[in-house]
Amino acid sequence: NSFSRIALGEEKESHFPIIFIDADASTGVANFDFDHLADSDRHKLLYEGPGLPYVIRPGAKTLIIGPGGGWDVSRALASGSQDVTGVEINPIIATTIMREKYPLLSHRLYFRPEVHIVVEDGRSFARRTDQRFQVIQATLVDTWASTAAGAFALSENNLYTADAFRDYLSHLTDDGILVFTRWGFDPPRESLRLVSLAMVALPQLGESDPKRHVIVAREGGREALAGWGAQDTVIFSRKPFTPADIERARQGIKEAHLTPIYLPGDGPKNHFRDLLTSPDPAAWERGYLYDVSPVSDNRPFFFYTVQPRDLWGFLSNASKDTADYKVNKAVPLLFESLFVSIAAVLIILLLPPLVLRARLPRERSTLLFLLYFFFIGAGYIMIEVALIQKFVLFLGQPVYALTCAIFTLLLSSGLGSFFSRRVVGRDDGRLKIALAVIAVLVAVLALLIGVVLTAGVGLPLPVKILATIAMIAPAGFMMGMPFPTGLARLEERNSAAVRWAWSLNAASSVLGSVGALVCAIYLGLMETLLVGGALYLGALVVLSMDRAAIFAPATPQPPVG
C-alpha cells in the first residue's frame, strides 16, 4: 500500500510467523492461546524487557502504539489487562493479516473482547482521545523503509518529540507509566535522548524532579552492545515512582535477567544518571559525544544523533554490522546529495555552452534577472517540502500530508499562473507586491500553523483536509504568479535567455529539495518555511536592483552592412 510493502514469512530458527516490512523491518506474530495460556508462556511475555511495565502495573488499562503482530498486546493480556487499545498505522498489518487473511496465526488475538484495534497514526490518536491509560507503550516503533537509501535518520518521526511526550504523559492516570523500548548502544544514543525528551515534558506538567520519574533496564549484554545493539526499555511515570514501584521493578529486572541501568535513588553511575542529576542538562548535552538534545515537532529528527563535526570519525570507526551505522549513515549521504545537487547545477550552466554552443547571455541585466528564477524555484520547493512535513501530524498519515499539500500547491499555483496576466499583467509594481505578499503569507503560515494544527487535532479527517487546503491555497495561488510573469518579461528583453530561465528554475528546485532537508534538520520546519519566503524576497531584490535595464525593451541595434 502507500505505506510500505508487507510480506508474511517465518523466522528461520523458531519458525514463528513474522511480518516483514519493506524487506527489512519486521514484527513477529504473537501466537499465544489466551484461553489456555501456559505458565511458561506467561513468564516469557512478562519477563522480557518490554514486559517490565506490566510487572510494575499488572492488569493495567493499556494503549499500545504500533502493536504490529501483537506481542505488546499479549504482554498486557498476560498481566491480566481487561482493556487494551492498539493503534496501528498500517491497515495491511492490523486488518489484512491479523483480522482478515491470517487471524488463526495469532489465535484471533485482535478479536478478543479485551482488545480494541484502531487503524490510525499513534500520535494523532493519543492527541485526540479523551481516555486516560495506566500504561502507554511503544516498542521499537518506526519504519526502516528509508534505510535502503540511507535516509533513516533524516525521516521525521512525530512519535519521539518533547511535544509528543507531553501528549502521552497528559493522557496517563496519576499512577500511569509511559514505556519505550529503543536500541541500546555504548555510549547510549536513542534511549538517552528519550530521557532528555521527558526532562522537557515533565516540568511542563508540573513535575519538577524528573530523576524520580525514570527507570531504565537493558536486555542484552556486552556482546549485543558491541554488535547490532541491545534493547533499552525506558519507563517514565506520570507522578514520581513510589518505593513499592521501584521494588517491583527491581525484582522484575532480576527475574528477567535484565541489567539495571537507572532506578531512582539507586543504580550505577552512568550517562543516564549524569544527565538526570546534572544541574545544567543543556550544557551536559552539548558536551556529550552524540546529539541527544531534545527534539520538537518543529524539528522531529529523533534518530539524527551524529554531530556534523564527528562525521568523518563516525564513518571511519562505526561498524557496518550495527543498527547505529544503519541509522546514521544517512547524515553523510545528506551532504553527498547536497554536493551532487550543486554539481548538477554547475553542469547545467557549463554543459550547454560546450555541447550546444548555447552561451549565457552577456548582458548584465539579463544575467541578473536569471537569479530571479533561481530564487523562486528554490523558494517554492523549500516551502512545499516543509509544508508536507508539517502537516503529517495534523492529518495523521504521511500519505495524506503528501497528497493534500502537493495537490493544493499545484492546483492553487496553476490557478495563480492562469490569472497572473490579469492580476499582475505588465505592471512592475504589482509583481513586486506579489513577491512581498508571498513572503508575508508564508511567514504568517509559519507562525500560525502550529497553533492551528494543535487546536484542530480532534476534528474529523474531511474537515482537516479542508482546513489544510484553506491554509495552503492562498500562498500557493500567489506563488504561481512570479514564474510566468517573469518569463514574459524575460522574453521581451532577451528571448534566447528563456531556456536558461527554465533550466535554472528546474535546477534550483533540485537543490532546494536537499536544502529544505538540511534547513529542517539544523533549523526546524518553521524556519525552513521562513527561508523559503525569504528567497522570494531575494527575487524582489533582484527586480529592484536594475528595474529599467531589466524590463525596458532592448535598444534596437543598427543594421549591419
Side-chain angles (χ1 to χ4, degrees):
N1 61 10
S2 58
F3 295 101
S4 54
R5 176 185 181 273
I6 303 297
L8 185 65
E10 64 180 16
E11 291 182 347
K12 292 182 180 180
E13 296 179 0
S14 65
H15 301 292
F16 271 43
I18 187 168
I19 299 169
F20 294 97
I21 306 166
D22 289 316
D24 198 354
S26 62
T27 174
V29 177
N31 56 349
F32 299 94
D33 183 359
F34 281 94
D35 292 325
H36 308 90
L37 188 64
D39 290 340
S40 59
D41 288 337
R42 189 182 306 276
H43 189 277
K44 174 181 176 63
L45 287 167
L46 295 179
Y47 291 97
E48 295 178 332
L52 184 60
Y54 305 106
V55 174
I56 302 174
R57 292 285 182 272
K61 180 179 179 179
T62 302
L63 170 63
I64 307 294
I65 296 176
W71 274 88
D72 285 342
V73 173
S74 297
R75 292 184 176 103
L77 294 178
S79 77
S81 295
Q82 297 299 309
D83 188 348
V84 182
T85 300
V87 184
E88 172 61 51
I89 193 172
N90 197 323
I92 294 181
I93 296 175
T95 303
T96 307
I97 291 178
M98 297 295 291
R99 291 187 286 184
E100 290 181 353
K101 290 191 174 183
Y102 305 101
L104 297 182
L105 289 179
S106 61
H107 292 273
R108 298 180 63 83
L109 176 66
Y110 285 3
F111 287 96
R112 295 191 63 83
E114 311 98 312
V115 179
H116 318 284
I117 300 299
V118 180
V119 179
E120 188 178 344
D121 171 71
R123 170 78 183 284
S124 296
F125 177 86
R127 295 185 75 184
R128 71 170 178 80
T129 184
D130 57 0
Q131 298 185 66
R132 290 182 179 270
F133 304 90
Q134 287 178 289
V135 173
I136 298 178
Q137 182 174 31
T139 301
L140 295 174
V141 179
D142 43 57
T143 173
W144 290 71
S146 54
T147 53
F152 187 68
L154 308 182
S155 57
E156 71 277 3
N157 196 315
N158 288 299
L159 290 176
Y160 305 105
T161 68
D163 305 279
F165 269 50
R166 186 175 62 250
D167 291 338
Y168 304 144
L169 290 166
S170 64
H171 282 84
L172 289 174
T173 57
D174 284 346
D175 65 340
I177 54 178
L178 172 65
V179 190
F180 287 91
T181 299
R182 294 300 322 163
W183 295 110
F185 306 108
D186 186 20
R189 277 78 116 183
E190 295 180 10
S191 51
L192 191 59
R193 180 168 255 177
L194 291 174
V195 173
S196 73
L197 298 179
M199 292 177 71
V200 173
L202 282 167
Q204 294 175 352
L205 298 175
E207 301 299 330
S208 59
D209 195 6
K211 66 178 180 292
R212 299 174 58 200
H213 295 251
V214 181
I215 291 175
V216 185
R218 176 168 293 162
E219 185 174 5
R222 294 184 179 276
E223 184 177 346
L225 285 173
W228 180 256
Q231 289 188 16
D232 288 352
T233 295
V234 188
I235 305 176
F236 307 98
S237 60
R238 178 63 182 84
K239 298 293 182 179
F241 280 114
T242 66
D245 293 333
I246 297 171
E247 182 58 30
R248 281 195 294 269
R250 185 180 289 110
Q251 292 300 321
I253 289 171
K254 181 179 180 181
E255 187 167 350
H257 304 289
L258 303 175
T259 302
I261 302 299
Y262 179 85
L263 288 92
D266 193 9
K269 179 176 173 56
N270 53 33
H271 297 298
F272 291 90
R273 182 169 296 279
D274 291 344
L275 174 58
L276 283 163
T277 59
S278 172
D280 189 349
W284 189 94
E285 289 160 355
R286 286 194 297 271
Y288 191 61
L289 179 61
Y290 288 89
D291 183 3
V292 295
S293 59
V295 294
S296 66
D297 285 349
N298 188 50
R299 198 171 65 90
F301 298 94
F302 173 82
F303 301 103
Y304 172 58
T305 58
V306 173
Q307 302 279 16
R309 64 175 184 263
D310 300 322
L311 284 179
W312 180 251
F314 172 77
L315 288 174
S316 303
N317 301 319
S319 170
K320 295 185 178 180
D321 296 325
T322 65
D324 188 34
Y325 178 82
K326 191 169 188 177
V327 168
N328 282 297
K329 71 177 182 179
V331 181
L333 286 178
L334 170 65
F335 290 100
E336 286 183 19
S337 299
L338 182 61
F339 294 143
V340 168
S341 299
I342 293 173
V345 173
L346 294 175
I347 289 172
I348 285 177
L349 294 175
L350 298 176
L351 201 57
L354 296 175
V355 177
L356 304 176
R357 304 296 180 185
R359 299 188 179 279
L360 277 166
R362 295 185 178 182
E363 298 90 347
R364 175 184 172 277
S365 59
T366 304
L367 284 172
L368 180 64
F369 192 38
L370 289 176
L371 284 176
Y372 168 94
F373 295 96
F374 183 88
F375 283 138
I376 63 175
Y380 190 99
I381 197 68
M382 291 190 76
I383 293 169
E384 182 179 52
V385 171
L387 286 175
I388 291 170
Q389 294 175 313
K390 199 68 178 172
F391 277 95
V392 167
L393 180 58
F394 181 61
L395 295 174
Q397 296 184 10
V399 65
Y400 293 156
L402 186 70
T403 54
C404 193
I406 291 179
F407 170 82
T408 303
L409 272 177
L410 292 181
L411 179 61
S412 58
S413 296
L415 291 172
S417 297
F418 180 79
F419 287 103
S420 61
R421 183 176 298 178
R422 188 177 305 174
V423 175
V424 178
R426 297 174 56 85
D427 191 316
D428 303 337
R430 289 187 179 184
L431 180 56
K432 285 185 176 183
I433 292 173
L435 291 167
V437 168
I438 291 170
V440 171
L441 287 175
V442 171
V444 171
L445 192 58
L447 295 174
L448 296 182
I449 193 171
V451 177
V452 174
L453 299 193
T454 300
V457 67
L459 296 173
L461 180 60
V463 177
K464 289 182 180 181
I465 292 176
L466 291 175
T468 301
I469 293 172
M471 292 177 69
I472 296 176
F477 181 81
M478 297 302 299
M479 287 160 62
M481 295 184 181
F483 185 70
T485 307
L487 279 182
R489 299 294 196 276
L490 183 61
E491 191 166 16
E492 291 178 3
R493 178 66 190 170
N494 188 333
S495 59
V498 169
R499 70 186 73 175
W500 287 101
W502 278 101
S503 300
L504 278 175
N505 186 261
S508 64
S509 297
V510 175
L511 185 59
S513 61
V514 182
L517 191 52
V518 174
C519 287
I521 288 175
Y522 291 105
L523 300 177
L525 296 175
M526 184 179 74
E527 290 78 4
T528 303
L529 281 172
L530 293 175
V531 170
L535 287 170
Y536 278 90
L537 291 180
L540 176 58
V541 171
V542 169
L543 297 186
S544 303
M545 288 178 67
D546 195 356
R547 184 176 65 85
I550 293 174
F551 295 115
T555 302
Q557 299 295 321
V560 179

